[in-house]
Amino acid sequence: MTASPRPDPGEFPTRPADPGGTAAEEPEDTTSPALMPGDADVEASIRPRSLDEFVGQVRVREQLELVLSGAKLRGTPPDHVLLAGPPGLGKTSLAMIIAAELGAAIRLTSGPALERAGDLAAILSNLVEGDVLFIDEIHRIARPAEEMLYLAMEDFRVDVMVGKGPGATSIPLEVAPFTLVGATTRSGQLTSPLRDRFGFTAHMEFYSPGELTRVITRSATILGIDLRPDGAIEIAGRSRGTPRIANRLLRRVRDYAQVRADGAITVDIARAALAVYDVDELGLDRLDRSVLGALCRSFGGGPVGLTTLAVAVGEEPTTVEEVCEPFLVRVGMLARTRQGRIATPAAWAHLGLDAGLDTGRATPATPAAPTALTGEATLFDGPPPNG
């Protein structure tokens, strides 16, 4: 077998994606890290093309550079790579960079698209030596396909069942040596057999404001946006540590600057634009503040159950749990307990409320414990003396 041709400079050769690609149906939210309609085209134009262009994730870049360099020196495909971390941190970009650094073609698919073992067998049989197979949201792969993937990752072969019933036979098919790159936002949902077959696991972390400033500045240069340094810092501080959100906010601020100003993004323009889109100085949006407001004003700071809190803000419980709560917990404004959700002092301060005072419900008075002076019998009192 021959290695796949090296891609042209600045391009990533890709094979046709499977139906049911990686874009998940998520609520359209300016500060949601999920991939939104319209994001894919813009992200494709501003994606870094090499490890040197990739901003942030210093430890991951160093580790990945060693893995890829060692494989190229040996002339063999590198170990399978697992990229774990919250959405929007650059896992897909790193997968494409891996293919570019190896001079290989990349095949893109997603876990939900692999419902049957035959779906995976069709992809694996079309790979050539040295190809990179990228499976996004790999924790959602169906169990039959996952079990087939075990053998393909270890021995580069798959067993295909032909026929049904007692006459069914297993035919082994050789698979060209390849590198699997899996991306997951929930590494805890990966089964142990699958997780153990990855030779290198990269844990992606949220970005610092300084790193996001570099990301936004680079994106503005590529997109031809007049971004001033103070405007970049302002946008970066409200981006929740996520490059995808930072680039989305940059495009929204650009719209505001072009329509209501002279096109230049300064700190004042950025603040005015983000106020229109309900993104405050900490990156909280309308839904985040609604959740905190209901928790503090309607429920006295909690504890309150997730379903009750979701009803109070008019959203689905899954939206509150998966979209709002991760960031609110990370910034220390909400705590999850066995009894329910609790607002922290930071949440009261951010809303400008006094804990326990600015609440829509009265705190019930604690009944006094019965004493001997009341003359009332309690459950633990003995029988009255015979008079």
Side-chain angles (χ1 to χ4, degrees):
M1 297 184 181
T2 59
S4 56
R6 186 176 186 84
D8 295 333
E11 296 182 359
F12 296 110
T14 60
R15 303 185 186 277
D18 292 346
T22 60
E25 294 185 0
E26 296 285 350
E28 292 196 12
D29 190 339
T30 306
T31 57
S32 172
L35 192 64
M36 300 296 178
D39 284 349
D41 294 338
V42 177
E43 287 190 2
S45 64
I46 61 178
R47 285 192 196 278
R49 305 289 179 172
S50 65
L51 286 175
D52 293 335
E53 294 182 11
F54 194 90
V55 178
Q57 310 295 338
V58 178
R59 177 65 65 181
V60 171
R61 283 193 291 119
E62 180 183 4
Q63 295 169 345
L64 196 55
E65 184 177 8
L66 291 174
V67 171
L68 299 180
S69 298
K72 287 189 289 186
L73 289 175
R74 294 187 300 271
T76 59
D79 289 341
H80 304 298
V81 177
L82 177 65
L83 305 175
L89 298 186
K91 294 186 293 296
T92 302
S93 295
L94 276 181
M96 293 185 173
I97 288 173
I98 290 173
E101 295 285 345
L102 296 174
I106 183 171
R107 176 69 181 267
L108 305 175
T109 187
S110 64
L114 302 176
E115 298 179 352
R116 297 175 297 273
D119 299 332
L120 180 61
I123 296 175
L124 294 174
S125 62
N126 288 326
L127 295 177
V128 299
E129 185 176 352
D131 272 2
V132 174
L133 173 61
F134 175 59
I135 303 180
D136 197 10
E137 299 299 325
I138 194 172
H139 63 272
R140 297 177 59 187
I141 189 173
R143 189 58 181 269
E146 179 181 328
E147 292 177 350
M148 175 177 285
L149 191 58
Y150 297 160
L151 195 59
M153 294 173 68
E154 281 191 338
D155 301 330
F156 297 112
R157 69 181 181 88
V158 294
D159 292 334
V160 179
M161 297 299 297
V162 178
K164 295 182 179 180
T169 58
S170 176
I171 300 177
L173 295 178
E174 296 296 326
V175 176
F178 69 98
T179 297
L180 173 65
V181 179
T184 177
T185 55
R186 298 182 178 182
S187 57
Q189 293 186 6
L190 286 175
T191 60
S192 295
L194 180 58
R195 188 187 303 112
D196 294 342
R197 282 171 169 79
F198 286 98
F200 170 65
T201 300
H203 298 280
M204 311 284 284
E205 298 179 350
F206 288 100
Y207 285 57
S208 67
E211 292 171 336
L212 287 178
T213 301
R214 293 168 54 196
V215 169
I216 297 172
T217 302
R218 177 182 177 276
S219 300
T221 302
I222 296 174
L223 298 176
I225 300 174
D226 185 4
L227 177 64
R228 307 297 167 80
D230 56 353
I233 294 174
E234 185 67 25
I235 297 174
R238 306 188 185 203
S239 300
R240 299 177 178 244
T242 306
R244 179 177 291 161
I245 297 176
N247 287 321
R248 188 182 301 144
L249 293 182
L250 173 64
R251 301 197 303 273
R252 300 290 72 79
V253 175
R254 174 195 58 185
D255 297 338
Y256 181 95
Q258 291 177 344
V259 174
R260 299 188 180 180
D262 59 359
I265 299 178
T266 63
V267 62
D268 294 332
I269 294 298
R271 288 173 180 171
L274 295 175
V276 171
Y277 291 104
D278 290 327
V279 180
D280 66 17
E281 62 275 9
L282 293 183
L284 274 65
D285 61 7
R286 177 200 59 81
L287 183 56
D288 297 324
R289 292 191 298 274
S290 296
V291 169
L292 292 180
L295 187 57
C296 294
R297 293 188 178 94
S298 301
F299 303 104
V304 61
L306 173 63
T307 303
T308 303
L309 187 58
V311 171
V313 298
E315 292 287 348
E316 293 292 329
T318 53
T319 301
V320 175
E321 184 177 23
E322 297 179 4
V323 178
C324 296
E325 287 189 350
F327 182 67
L328 294 178
V329 171
R330 185 158 60 89
V331 296
M333 293 190 179
L334 183 143
R336 295 176 176 177
T337 67
R338 291 184 177 181
Q339 292 75 26
R341 274 59 176 174
I342 296 177
T344 66
W348 291 90
H350 184 70
L351 296 177
L353 304 176
D354 292 330
L357 298 179
D358 297 281
T359 174
R361 69 173 187 178
T363 303
T366 304
T371 64
L373 298 179
T374 62
E376 298 178 359
T378 68
L379 179 65
F380 302 99
D381 290 337
N386 294 329

